[in-house]
C-alpha cells in the first residue's frame, strides 16, 4: 500500500514552480492531453466487446453510432486540443492538413500527435498508444526541427496504462491506478540501459535493406547472443526498449526510401525521449533526426534508436 505518491498533476505543478514566470499554460495543456488519453484508455479496454456493443458503422444497443477506435481517438484529441485555449494548431497523423483552433480559443502551442499508434493491433489485444510532440508557436511555421520540441511523450494502453513524457529534464513515467483514476509517478527518471540484448526490426524486409543493415543482422545472428522482438506497434516496441534496452530499427528500404515512420509524429517524439533517457537515436547514417528541417508535416524518416552501445554497433556496420 502506498501513502503518498505524486500524481501526474502534482508532478506538473511541481515542475511549473521551477519557472518563476510560468503562466500555467503548459500544465493546462498537459492536463487536457491526460484527460483525453484516459477516455481513450477506457474505450480501448472495451474494444473486445465490439461484438456485443456493435460493429463499426452499425448502431449499438444504446442507439449510438459505433466509431472505429482510431477515428474516435483522433476526433477526441482534435476537439480537446483546439478548444482548450492553449493551442494554436494541431497536426494529426489521421488528418492531411493542420487544424487551427478557432480564434477565441487560440493559444501558444502547436501539438503534433498520433492518436492511436499501432491501431492495426487493436483486435489482437497487443499494446497500442497515443504519441504527442509539443512546440511553441513560431509565427506561422509548423515545420520546426525536433530540437525545438518543448515536450514529447506517449501513453501506452497495455497490460497497464502508462503516461511517459519529457520536457527536456529527463523522462518520467506515470501508471494509471484505475481505482483512483489518476496517473501515479511509478517510473522516476527513466534511463535506457547502455546496452541490451533485444533487437526490434521488421526482418521480413531484410532483402530490401542496405548492405550495412544486412551485415549487422547477420552479425547479431552469428553471435547468437541476441533476442528478436517486434510487435509492429512502435509504442510497444519502444516502451520495451526504454525498460529493457536494446535497439529498434525502422530503416530505409528499397520500397520505402524514407522508411515508414513519420518524422514529426513518431520519429522526433521518440528520438527526444530516447536521448533524454540517455539513449541514442539516428536517422540516415549518424544524422540526429532532431536536427532535420522538415519539408512537410507528414514527412517520413528512417529511425534507429535505443541503447547507446547497440546504436553505435549498428553504425559501425554502415561505415
Ligand atoms: P499506425 O498504426 O499509427 O499507422 O503506425 C503503425 C506503425 C508503427 O506503430 C510500427 O512501428 C510500424 O507501423 C510497423 O510497420 P511494418 O508493419 O511495416 O513493420
Ligand atoms: Mn503510428
Ligand atoms: Mn496512427
Amino acid at each position: 500500500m502506498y501513502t503518498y505518491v505524486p500524481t501526474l498533476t502534482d508532478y506538473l505543478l511541481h515542475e511549473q514552480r521551477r519557472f518563476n514566470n510560468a503562466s500555467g499554460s503548459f500544465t493546462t495543456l498537459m492536463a487536457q492531453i491526460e484527460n483525453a488519453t484516459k477516455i481513450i484508455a477506457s474505450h480501448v479496454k472495451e474494444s473486445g466487446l465490439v461484438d456485443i456493443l456493435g460493429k463499426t458503422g452499425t448502431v449499438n444497443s444504446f442507439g449510438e453510432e459505433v466509431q472505429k477506435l482510431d477515428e474516435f481517438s483522433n476526433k477526441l484529441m482534435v476537439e480537446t486540443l483546439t478548444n482548450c485555449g492553449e493551442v494554436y494548431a494541431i497536426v494529426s497523423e489521421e488528418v492531411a492538413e493542420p487544424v487551427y483552433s478557432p480564434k477565441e480559443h487560440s493559444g501558444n502551442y502547436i501539438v503534433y500527435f498520433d492518436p492511436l499508434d499501432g491501431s492495426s493491433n487493436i483486435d489482437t489485444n497487443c499494446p497500442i498508444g497515443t504519441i504527442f510532440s509539443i512546440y511553441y508557436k513560431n509565427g506561422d511555421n509548423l515545420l520546426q526541427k525536433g530540437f525545438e520540441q518543448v515536450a514529447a511523450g506517449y501513453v501506452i494502453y497495455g497490460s497497464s496504462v502508462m503516461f511517459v513524457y519529457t520536457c527536456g529534464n529527463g523522462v518520467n513515467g506515470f501508471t494509471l491506478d484505475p481505482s483512483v483514476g489518476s496517473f501515479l509517478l511509478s517510473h522516476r527518471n527513466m534511463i535506457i540501459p547502455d546496452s541490451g540484448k533485444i533487437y526490434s526490426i521488421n526482418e521480413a524486409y531484410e532483402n530490401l535493406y542496405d548492405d550495412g543493415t544486412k551485415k549487422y543482422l547477420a552479425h547479431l545472428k552469428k553471435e547468437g547472443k541476441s533476442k528478436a522482438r517486434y510487435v509492429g506497434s512502435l509504442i510497444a516496441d519502444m516502451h520495451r526498449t526504454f525498460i529493457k534496452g536494446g535497439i529498434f530499427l525502422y530503416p530505409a528500404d528499397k520500397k520505402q526510401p524514407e522508411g515508414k515512420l513519420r518524422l514529426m509524429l513518431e520519429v522526433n517524439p521518440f528520438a527526444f525521449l530516447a536521448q533524454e533517457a540517455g539513449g541514442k537515436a539516428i536517422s540516415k547514417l549518424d544524422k540526429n533526426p532532431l536536427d532535420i528541417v522538415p519539408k512537410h508535416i507528414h514527412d517520413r524518416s528512417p529511425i534507429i534508436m535505443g541503447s547507446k552501445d547497440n546504436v553505435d554497433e549498428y553504425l559501425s556496420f554502415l561505415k
Side-chain angles (χ1 to χ4, degrees), residues 93 114 116-120 202 205 230 232-235 237 248 250 256 260-261 266:
E93 197 202 56
D114 181 351
L116 211 54
D117 175 67
S119 51
S120 65
N202 193 334
Y205 306 153
Y230 190 74
S233 170
L234 174 67
I235 286 253
D237 286 316
F248 172 86
Y250 208 116
Q256 307 176 103
K260 174 183 183 186
L261 301 177
E266 296 171 317

Side-chain angles (χ1 to χ4, degrees), residues 163-182:
F163 191 115
V164 178
Y165 87 99
T166 182
C167 51
N169 186 25
V171 179
N172 289 285
F174 302 79
T175 304
L176 185 64
D177 180 335
S179 61
V180 183
S182 297

